[in-house]
Amino acid sequence: MSPGELPADIAELDFEVAEPVRTALRRAVELHDYGYPDFDQGTPVALRELFATRMHDRYGATVAPERVELSAQITQALCAVVLTLTRPGDGVLVHTPTYPPFLAAISQLGRRPVTVPVRDVEDAEQLTELLPPSVGPIRLIVLCHPHNPTGHVFSRTTLAALAEFTVARDAVVFSDEIYQDLVDDPATYQPVATVPGLADRTVTFTSAAKSFNVPGLRCAVGYFGGSGIHRRYTALPWHLRDGAGILGVAATLAAWRYGDAWLEDLRRTLRDNQALLVERLARLPGVAWTPPSAGYLGWLDLTTSSVAADPRAILRRRAGILLQAGAAFGAAFTGYARLNFGTDRDRLVRILDRLSEALR
């Protein structure tokens, strides 16, 4: 990044970390606590139990702590699920635009990405109609719920249709629910693991990384609805599927135990920022978008704008702002860009001023 440029591309918040998290990390530093955690009675066990309690209290999901697993990151967990629950050549359903590391992982592990557009459907037949012809067997459905980069929250009707679709194909669902804490009204978020018919077919992973701004500390937490898929997953070597560090575990414990007030402040800030985006983007030529129902990412359709050929490169050159290239989420999205609005208002105004100047 060059001096004077304003980055709004990477999906990290531009805010100070919550004080309870900083306190936990300072204490670990003071104690020189950088070693291996106690996996039998220590913080990983406490985190599994806290996750189960939080999922029940906050989202109405019943979670058995003995089927909760830790990982360094969600993409790592997806790779492990692909290796254990599918075979080379199997189809893996994903929604487009697709989070780039997921698409890469599926392809590089020798499975076939099967893509459908992000949208709600009324029933399994409607979902089936979105599939490409001659699709072959689909053994895994991968969701971002809420979705990255669009911020879409799948409706209860769509999740019910997905359950019917999954059962009919004897498949499994891997649901990345990392933005679950950042769903805004009027959207209604339902954990996939609570959908009738999907409970024992679902692997759900989430993290404090996005909602509490600690992605570099590498700690994700996941739940296996069925004991069979859990056994197959844990048959992999521990070092391939786990690796959450002691500082990441400590930060997540502090965030989920003591961070609710900070989280509500963040949600209000993001709501205000989104309102500003709605107001400002409506005035700009060639910009179309649907305000997200969750998260802090704006998915901008710039295909009719003056920067459509390469929004990231042209906006960087013209305005010194960095947006995530839409082409990273699929070849069909060359004229799109992802804008991170998880920053303070003054900085967001500067980004929008520059965007306005570049497009006009």
Side-chain angles (χ1 to χ4, degrees):
M1 187 176 68
S2 301
E5 289 185 330
L6 292 174
D9 50 349
I10 305 303
E12 296 180 15
L13 291 168
D14 189 30
F15 301 113
E16 289 186 353
V17 173
E19 182 56 37
V21 176
R22 285 185 282 162
T23 297
L25 294 175
R26 279 195 297 263
R27 177 166 175 75
V29 171
E30 290 165 359
L31 294 174
H32 303 273
D33 192 6
Y34 313 128
Y36 298 118
D38 181 347
F39 292 101
D40 295 322
Q41 302 180 57
T43 54
V45 176
L47 182 54
R48 290 185 176 95
E49 294 170 349
L50 175 62
F51 170 75
T53 300
R54 189 174 192 268
M55 287 297 293
H56 179 269
D57 294 348
R58 197 173 182 98
Y59 300 115
T62 300
V63 171
E66 64 271 17
R67 293 205 297 273
V68 174
E69 296 293 329
L70 306 187
S71 189
Q73 57 174 332
I74 292 177
T75 304
Q76 175 194 5
L78 171 63
C79 290
V81 165
V82 168
L83 287 171
T84 54
L85 302 183
T86 69
R87 295 178 295 184
D90 281 348
V92 178
L93 184 71
V94 292
H95 290 86
T96 56
T98 305
Y99 178 53
F102 281 6
L103 198 60
I106 293 164
S107 299
Q108 290 171 7
L109 291 173
R111 277 62 173 175
R112 294 180 297 105
V114 177
T115 60
V116 296
V118 174
R119 67 179 62 167
D120 282 318
V121 297
E122 294 298 321
D123 50 41
E125 182 178 353
Q126 199 173 68
L127 176 58
T128 302
E129 290 171 354
L130 297 175
L131 295 173
S134 306
V135 69
I138 295 173
R139 299 302 181 202
L140 182 66
I141 293 95
V142 176
L143 297 183
C144 279
H145 175 58
H147 184 258
N148 175 8
T150 67
H152 182 73
V153 177
F154 292 100
S155 69
R156 291 178 180 269
T157 300
T158 298
L159 294 178
L162 182 73
E164 184 181 349
F165 179 93
T166 303
V167 172
R169 284 159 178 75
D170 193 24
V172 175
V173 173
F174 179 94
S175 188
D176 167 8
E177 304 190 8
I178 198 170
Y179 289 100
Q180 62 183 179
D181 288 342
L182 300 177
V183 178
D184 205 5
D185 295 335
T188 301
Y189 160 75
Q190 179 182 9
V192 174
T194 67
V195 178
L198 284 183
D200 61 350
R201 293 178 175 271
T202 297
V203 180
T204 302
F205 265 83
T206 189
S207 171
K210 299 302 184 184
S211 48
F212 288 93
N213 202 25
V214 289
L217 293 181
R218 300 296 200 184
C219 180
V221 187
Y223 174 61
F224 290 74
S227 57
I229 58 176
H230 183 232
R231 282 195 300 272
R232 291 165 67 182
Y233 180 87
T234 54
L236 278 179
W238 181 92
H239 291 89
L240 187 61
R241 56 184 168 80
D242 202 305
I246 193 167
L247 295 181
V249 173
T252 306
L253 283 168
W256 286 351
R257 280 174 175 162
Y258 310 118
D260 283 353
W262 186 92
L263 181 60
E264 288 311 307
D265 285 343
L266 170 66
R267 288 163 58 89
R268 283 190 290 271
T269 298
L270 296 180
R271 195 175 302 123
D272 291 343
N273 282 359
Q274 180 163 309
L276 176 63
L277 276 179
V278 169
E279 175 192 346
R280 293 289 302 271
L281 294 182
R283 306 176 195 168
L284 300 185
V287 179
W289 78 309
T290 299
S293 297
Y296 45 87
L297 305 171
W299 181 240
L300 309 184
D301 179 351
L302 301 169
T303 53
T304 63
S305 75
S306 62
V307 302
D310 189 345
R312 177 180 170 87
I314 297 172
L315 289 172
R316 184 174 192 177
R317 184 175 67 249
R318 287 185 185 176
I321 54 175
L322 299 179
L323 305 187
Q324 184 75 15
F329 297 84
F333 302 101
T334 297
Y336 289 70
R338 190 186 71 178
L339 186 156
N340 179 347
F341 59 88
T343 188
D344 68 81
R345 190 175 184 86
D346 289 344
R347 192 167 183 275
L348 182 57
V349 167
R350 291 168 60 204
I351 290 169
L352 292 173
D353 285 346
R354 292 190 185 189
L355 178 62
S356 177
E357 183 181 351
L359 291 176
R360 290 186 185 282

